[in-house]
Amino acid sequence: MARVSFPWIRPLWQQLSEASLAGTLAHGVGIEFQPELGSEQLLEQLSRLLLCQQPIKDSKAIRACGQCKQCLLYKAGTHPDILRVAPEPGKQLGVDAIRKVGAFVQQRSAQGGNKVIQVLQADAMTLAAANSLLKTLEEPPADTFLIVSAAQFSLLLPTVRSRLMMFPMPRPDTAMLRTWFAELAPESELTSAMLNYAQKRPLTALQLLREHQPLPQAMLDDLLCGTVQLPKDADAIAQLVKTILESLHLILRDYYERNALPEWATRFQSLPKERFAQAISDCYQAGIHLRNDLQGPGLNANLLTQRWLHDCRSQLTC
Ligand SMILES: [Zn+2]
């Protein structure tokens, strides 16, 4: 998807960019990893601003100029004063990668300006890596900024956390989302379910609306990723179960009618088609039981549904 702007991060950007210009930005900054909410753009925008020689400040915002030598090097991906470390997919972030950070911090800035280090998915650091990072965070040189990105700050060592100024990603409210969608997907029909979903995953919601895809695709993604969020009240849980069942039903319908899975259902699918369809069918059957159980009195809807979601996830992933 082409780059979009995230209006809900503007107040946070203002705070970060003003501190950067005023020279009061902390040398260790933690940004919550929430790509759906624009965290990656925020991280890059801040890195670019820290490197730019002639930042622009006008009535709208502060930003990197885009024209100076530093901005051009950044754009070309060849700026020598920025280092990004991230774990390999599915692996932990080890001490070797963090040692690179230590060495980079010791180097003099090649361009004479700031140095920026991005530590991505820092919550996947090993203990040794975290301890090594801590040493760097304890005495960062004046020209060096460490931006640490993690989905769950709570998984970082408390000593690492205490060295960072941490910024959770702001969430959009429904009014903001309505304006955003009106601009970016003007023809789409916004249901309250979609708006609810979009508060958590605005980018996916935007894509669904633009492609006129139903919400089920998103439900399935959440189911497979274990990121379904249960509402507090039992009626809302029952409604959510119903929505998930509808999405499973759509998959089964396609599979039985044309022996194929719908394209949207295969994005994260790791099992062979037949086994996946069988697993979907099993989850569906169990979900129908759950739906009926939830209509009875005196049951712990949250617990039962959590258990069902957990079972679905284990069946649908290998
Ligand atoms: Zn510049």
Side-chain angles (χ1 to χ4, degrees), residues 85-95 97 120-126 129:
V85 291
E88 291 185 23
K91 298 217 171 118
Q92 284 193 298
L93 184 56
V95 70
L120 306 171
Q121 294 172 55
D123 36 5
M125 273 190 294
T126 62

Side-chain angles (χ1 to χ4, degrees), residues 52-54 64-68 71:
C52 174
Q53 284 170 313
Q54 300 147 341
C65 74
Q67 313 281 327
C68 70
C71 283

Side-chain angles (χ1 to χ4, degrees), residues 141-185:
D143 64 349
T144 304
F145 291 87
L146 267 116
I147 309 176
V148 174
S149 163
Q152 289 186 58
F153 286 130
S154 58
L155 295 179
L156 298 177
L157 283 184
T159 41
V160 168
R161 280 207 305 268
S162 72
R163 296 277 165 188
L164 298 171
M165 188 173 272
M166 291 193 287
F167 299 94
M169 285 301 292
R171 268 68 172 162
D173 60 28
T174 47
M176 196 174 259
L177 284 169
R178 280 185 191 281
T179 317
W180 196 60
F181 288 133
E183 191 184 312
L184 297 171

Side-chain angles (χ1 to χ4, degrees), residues 18-40:
E18 280 178 357
S20 166
L21 239 57
T24 55
L25 185 71
H27 286 267
V29 172
I31 293 181
E32 185 190 8
F33 177 76
Q34 286 287 349
E36 282 269 345
L37 296 166
S39 62
E40 284 169 324

